[in-house]
Amino acid sequence: MLTKEELPDCPVATTVQLIGGKWKLLILRNLLQRPWRFNELKKSLEGISQKVLTDSLRSMEADGIISRTVFPEVPPRVEYALTALGQSMRPIIKAMEDWGISYKQRL
């Protein structure tokens, strides 16, 4: 997790730094529905590489947005879910969804 000193002064830039980019937003979109396993996420995000998904999940976990739970099974099962901080982004993603719907209706 970044310290306050490492984050941009602008709050919008802070948000973009934490969830900016195509893949993190789409991962958030999926995790707002329910917890997902790695391979489920990979299959649902057409075009994402394993490395980019792994790096995005690790970054979001380090920032406290998602949690990673390893179940002691054979083979091990890992699930990713939103933390309370991640859940607090629900209105942001909903506003983006609403805007996208509105924009598409104008075309």
Side-chain angles (χ1 to χ4, degrees):
M1 186 175 283
L2 297 173
T3 65
K4 282 186 181 181
E5 293 77 31
E6 294 172 312
L7 292 171
D9 290 334
C10 172
V12 173
T14 297
T15 305
V16 169
Q17 183 169 337
L18 294 173
I19 64 165
K22 173 182 176 180
W23 298 118
K24 285 185 179 181
L25 285 169
L26 295 177
I27 291 167
L28 274 173
R29 176 204 62 193
N30 286 6
L31 293 177
L32 282 167
Q33 300 169 14
R34 62 177 171 81
W36 289 64
R37 295 176 69 176
F38 183 89
N39 285 333
E40 288 180 307
L41 282 169
K42 186 162 182 336
K43 287 177 187 173
S44 73
L45 301 170
E46 189 175 322
I48 193 169
S49 70
Q50 184 166 331
K51 180 184 181 341
V52 169
L53 179 56
T54 298
D55 290 348
S56 297
L57 290 169
R58 284 182 182 161
S59 171
M60 293 168 73
E61 183 182 11
D63 292 332
I65 296 168
I66 66 170
S67 63
R68 179 180 184 266
T69 304
V70 180
F71 295 89
E73 301 172 355
V74 177
R77 177 171 52 106
V78 178
E79 282 188 351
Y80 296 91
L82 292 178
T83 62
L85 179 62
Q87 287 287 348
S88 72
M89 293 183 171
R90 184 177 295 277
I92 296 169
I93 304 302
K94 177 66 176 146
M96 292 175 76
E97 176 187 26
D98 292 345
W99 188 91
I101 290 168
S102 175
Y103 180 81
K104 286 174 111 179
Q105 289 173 346
R106 291 178 173 206
L107 300 178

